[in-house]
Amino acid sequence: MSSPIPVVVAGALGRMGAEVIRAVLNAEDCQLVGAIDNTPGKEGVDVGLELGIKELEVAVTADFEGCLCAVSQSVRNSNQSAVLVDFTHPSVVFDHTRAAIAYGVHPVIGTTGLSPTQLNDLTEFSAKASIGGAVIPNFSVGMVLLQQAAAAAARFYDHAELTELHHNRKADAPSGTCIKTAELMEEVKQSFNPAEVDEHESLQGSRGGVRDSGLRLHSLRLPGLVAHQEVMFGAPGETYTLRHDTIDRSAYMPGVLLTVRKVGSLQQLVYGLERLI
């Protein structure tokens, strides 16, 4: 019988990190071996006690590379490779992903904000190292289904706009999920929203951000929201609307665990949950 998958969680004291830790603890084939977080005053505390779960004998550390190094060495003779689940901040996600690959730890990245150039660099680096990883803008199966439906509908509509709504502590806009949805639509059709009027904005930005394809993306940030996305298509006499609402972060955990279980068999970085289901 295989030993449990060793899992390190970065952003362990955040809302998503805490949810991931609970999911890992409830998964018989996973084992929490590291908790990384830079919240002041939390260095060395037991992550389970800090989250109100139970004593887990896993101390919170702010030393990202030190934790990866220790975990990599501890599993060197094991039949399981370690996995990093990262829900931190766009400003550090590139360095975190690259460091995980360098230490032989498979990155599972839920932090959004990587640029296309960064994704390409990480994909090439992971392929050279033969260390698979996954960058997942959204771990919800329902969101994957919405994205597939949006790509299918793009064949039939020339006009479409995307709106994403998140809590007001989200750092990047538009969301990685919204960008990924637009990219999937653009794989089907290269041009949207042909101009029919000489449009101008009396308030700059009121029409949202526009991509090279003509797709417009709108971002809302308000307390009380979790994560929501709407894709609206328009044609003479009709509109077609796709919407997904995340009510609770537990909705992401089946996708997180699925990725943790599959990432060890990958030889390079993949982008999007649809690549794994």
Side-chain angles (χ1 to χ4, degrees):
M1 185 175 180
S2 297
S3 57
I5 303 167
V7 179
V8 178
V9 178
L13 301 183
R15 287 168 292 182
M16 280 298 297
E19 199 70 43
V20 171
I21 287 175
R22 293 185 176 92
V24 168
L25 294 176
N26 289 327
E28 294 183 358
D29 58 347
C30 297
Q31 179 184 5
L32 182 70
V33 297
I36 303 170
D37 199 282
N38 60 5
T39 300
K42 300 303 181 181
E43 181 84 22
V45 303
D46 185 279
V47 68
L49 294 178
E50 184 65 24
L51 296 178
I53 303 172
K54 63 178 181 180
E55 186 173 3
L56 299 176
E57 297 183 351
V58 176
V60 174
T61 178
D63 185 357
F64 185 86
E65 291 202 24
C67 183
L68 291 185
C69 180
V71 169
S72 178
Q73 292 177 349
S74 69
V75 302
R76 183 163 294 173
N77 297 320
S78 170
N79 63 348
Q80 290 282 16
S81 298
V83 174
L84 167 74
V85 180
D86 187 292
F87 283 97
T88 53
H89 193 275
S91 63
V92 296
V93 63
F94 177 82
D95 291 337
H96 282 190
T97 308
R98 189 174 178 88
I101 295 169
Y103 282 105
V105 177
H106 297 275
V108 172
I109 306 301
T111 308
T112 58
L114 287 169
S115 69
T117 299
Q118 289 176 323
L119 278 171
N120 288 336
D121 288 348
L122 291 171
T123 300
E124 292 178 2
F125 185 56
S126 67
K128 289 178 181 177
S130 295
I131 300 295
V135 176
I136 311 294
N138 195 298
F139 284 96
S140 164
V141 174
M143 179 55 70
V144 172
L145 295 174
L146 179 146
Q147 290 173 332
Q148 298 301 310
R155 294 172 51 206
F156 302 99
Y157 291 92
D158 294 327
H159 295 265
E161 303 208 8
L162 296 81
T163 303
E164 54 93 356
L165 309 87
H166 280 81
H167 54 88
N168 60 331
R169 292 180 63 187
K170 182 170 178 60
D172 56 317
S175 69
T177 301
C178 194
I179 293 171
K180 176 65 172 177
T181 307
E183 289 172 344
L184 290 170
M185 294 168 64
E186 290 162 350
E187 289 179 6
V188 177
K189 180 178 291 185
Q190 296 182 350
S191 180
F192 294 86
N193 301 322
E196 298 185 6
V197 66
D198 184 13
E199 189 176 86
H200 70 279
E201 295 176 326
S202 57
L203 179 63
Q204 187 176 0
S206 58
R207 285 287 287 117
V210 59
R211 291 174 61 85
D212 291 342
S213 66
L215 283 176
R216 289 187 178 272
L217 279 58
H218 308 265
S219 297
L220 280 68
R221 299 288 179 267
L222 290 169
L225 295 171
V226 179
H228 316 261
Q229 183 170 288
E230 183 174 284
V231 183
M232 179 176 285
F233 298 88
E238 69 170 6
T239 59
Y240 175 48
T241 302
L242 299 167
R243 183 177 173 105
H244 180 267
D245 296 286
T246 302
I247 309 304
D248 187 87
R249 290 173 178 82
S250 60
Y252 300 126
M253 293 308 106
V256 170
L257 292 177
L258 180 150
T259 308
V260 166
R261 290 166 179 145
K262 290 194 173 185
V263 72
S265 64
L266 302 176
Q267 298 300 308
Q268 66 175 38
L269 203 70
V270 301
Y271 178 49
L273 188 62
E274 73 278 0
R275 299 285 301 276
L276 299 175
I277 60 175

